[in-house]
Amino acid sequence: MAEYAKDAVLVLLEATPAGELTKSAAGLIGAASQVGTPIAVLVGAEKLAHDAAALGAGTVLVAPAGEGLTVPAVDALAAAVELVDPDAVLTAHSIEGREAAGRLAARRRSGLCVDAVGVSRDDEGVIAHHSVYGGSYDVDASVTWGAPIITVRQGSIEARADAVADPVIETLEVAPSGRKAATVGAVAEAAVSSSRPELRGAAKVVSGGRGLGSEEKFALVEQLADALGAAVGASRAAVDAGYVPASFQVGQTGVSVSPQLYIALGISGAIQHKAGMQTAKTIVAINKDGDAPIFDIADFGVVGDLFTVVPQLVAALEAKRK
Ligand code: FAD
């Protein structure tokens, strides 16, 4: 029987519909490497094992694809936990990652720590760090029994593990649990209307608020985003006003982002908006109201009319590129 590191940390990796590792993989393996030895679990995606190793997984357990959604991943994780006896299990805080983590925790009666923005360890085990109530409080969570199962907010972990040239790739034997699972009846490919990065997990985000004033003027947000190679986000007020679709909404009832750079244009900084972006590494705010709460959390702020400031910023970025 293979030996596994005493400080093993299992990491569930997901694949995109195009068959690549999702962007969260690097951060998950990076997080695992901060607290132990990462062991990746791939479900039905053996060809991605070397990609996982390139991100720092020295051991990759490959489970069969199985039937239905998520249940094969939970079955695989449950088998991997039995095999490896890890100190923690990490999944992305994605739709599949959250479901897999919740189901695994229920099955194993383990503690679940959701939406962590960091991990560390002390003498008693792995600790999850959370940013809650709109980033107003930092909370550390640990479990009192067994290995914690932790979902990690996409984009929140900067640490990266060193690439592994010769990974150990093993087939994980999984006894299907036969639990009920949703199945995919049909797949209709959504037309991709944008070449911009996806908001969730983007390294740079430019968001616009009510201050943009109209759908037409919201184009300024897109111009700055394109000049920076950033994803586009919005406040709920901008969504409610119909400037952009609801999928752009950042915040408590929208997408949570943790990019390297977040630029807020004409956004006041309501607590519900901050809840979704406060863990960004660098926050830049442009607002004509110097008392807007967004400036309380901004690393850099410009008090001014965005219609004056942003075109100059775009022109400067484009000039730099030439
Ligand atoms: P406003 O608060 O109206 O701010 C507009 C800002 O633009 C102002 O600060 C103004 O000074 C500035 N401005 C105007 N013109 C210019 C200009 N020319 N140049 C520069 N600055 C200018 N909100 C979210 O964003 N995400 C959520 O997920 C979310 N969930 C919510 C959930 C609940 C249950 C509730 C009750 C609310 C939620 N909200 C959410 C709404 C939130 O409370 C705020 O109403 C919203 O974030 C405000 O959006 P805003 O900053 O674009 O608009």
Side-chain angles (χ1 to χ4, degrees):
M1 204 174 109
E3 291 269 317
Y4 299 97
K6 292 251 175 302
D7 62 350
V9 175
L10 284 178
V11 174
L12 176 66
L13 301 183
E14 295 172 43
T16 65
E20 294 164 358
L21 286 177
T22 54
K23 270 192 276 170
S24 58
L28 279 176
I29 296 173
S33 72
Q34 289 181 307
V35 292
T37 304
I39 297 186
V41 177
L42 282 169
V43 181
E46 189 170 1
K47 64 185 171 61
L48 297 178
H50 284 280
D51 294 349
L55 297 176
T59 302
V60 183
L61 305 176
V62 183
E67 295 284 325
L69 291 173
T70 312
V71 167
V74 184
D75 291 348
L77 281 177
V81 169
E82 285 296 323
L83 184 71
V84 171
D85 189 22
D87 284 352
V89 179
L90 306 186
T91 74
H93 193 67
S94 60
I95 291 171
E96 181 173 3
R98 275 180 268 175
E99 186 179 349
R103 283 177 177 250
L104 182 70
R107 240 194 244 186
R108 294 198 54 88
R109 302 278 184 267
S110 299
L112 178 64
C113 304
V114 296
D115 199 20
V117 295
V119 289
S120 63
R121 84 182 289 152
D122 67 8
D123 295 345
E124 293 178 35
V126 176
I127 299 167
H129 304 289
H130 307 265
S131 172
V132 303
Y133 294 131
S136 307
Y137 294 92
D138 293 330
V139 173
D140 296 345
S142 60
V143 304
T144 50
W145 184 83
I149 297 166
I150 302 170
T151 71
V152 179
R153 186 180 298 180
Q154 289 126 297
S156 64
I157 306 285
E158 280 177 71
R160 294 291 179 267
D162 293 333
V164 176
D166 293 311
V168 176
I169 301 171
E170 290 178 21
T171 301
L172 181 65
E173 288 194 17
V174 179
S177 62
R179 307 275 170 120
K180 283 189 181 159
T183 53
V184 178
V187 176
E189 213 167 305
V192 177
S193 57
S194 165
S195 57
R196 295 189 188 105
E198 200 196 329
L199 181 56
R200 212 181 279 273
K204 298 177 212 161
V205 175
V206 180
S207 284
R210 200 191 323 253
L212 269 299
S214 71
E215 185 181 351
E216 292 70 36
K217 292 183 189 161
F218 200 91
L220 198 54
V221 178
E222 296 167 347
Q223 279 174 29
L224 180 56
D226 291 343
L228 288 164
V232 173
S235 70
R236 176 155 153 188
V239 169
D240 288 350
Y243 306 167
V244 284
S247 57
F248 285 49
Q249 185 177 317
V250 172
Q252 182 186 317
T253 43
V255 175
S256 286
V257 295
S258 244
Q260 297 298 315
L261 173 66
Y262 187 90
I263 303 184
L265 305 177
I267 292 178
S268 59
I271 188 158
Q272 296 90 351
H273 187 79
K274 290 197 244 172
M277 45 67 73
Q278 188 149 3
T279 54
K281 307 300 174 298
T282 301
I283 297 171
V284 178
I286 300 175
N287 195 305
K288 66 180 182 185
D289 174 8
D291 292 327
I294 193 77
F295 288 123
D296 297 342
I297 58 162
D299 299 285
F300 300 96
V302 179
V303 179
D305 187 329
L306 69 91
F307 296 107
T308 309
V309 177
V310 177
Q312 293 179 49
L313 192 52
V314 172
L317 286 165
E318 283 173 357
K320 207 174 155 207
R321 210 185 293 158
K322 281 177 194 156

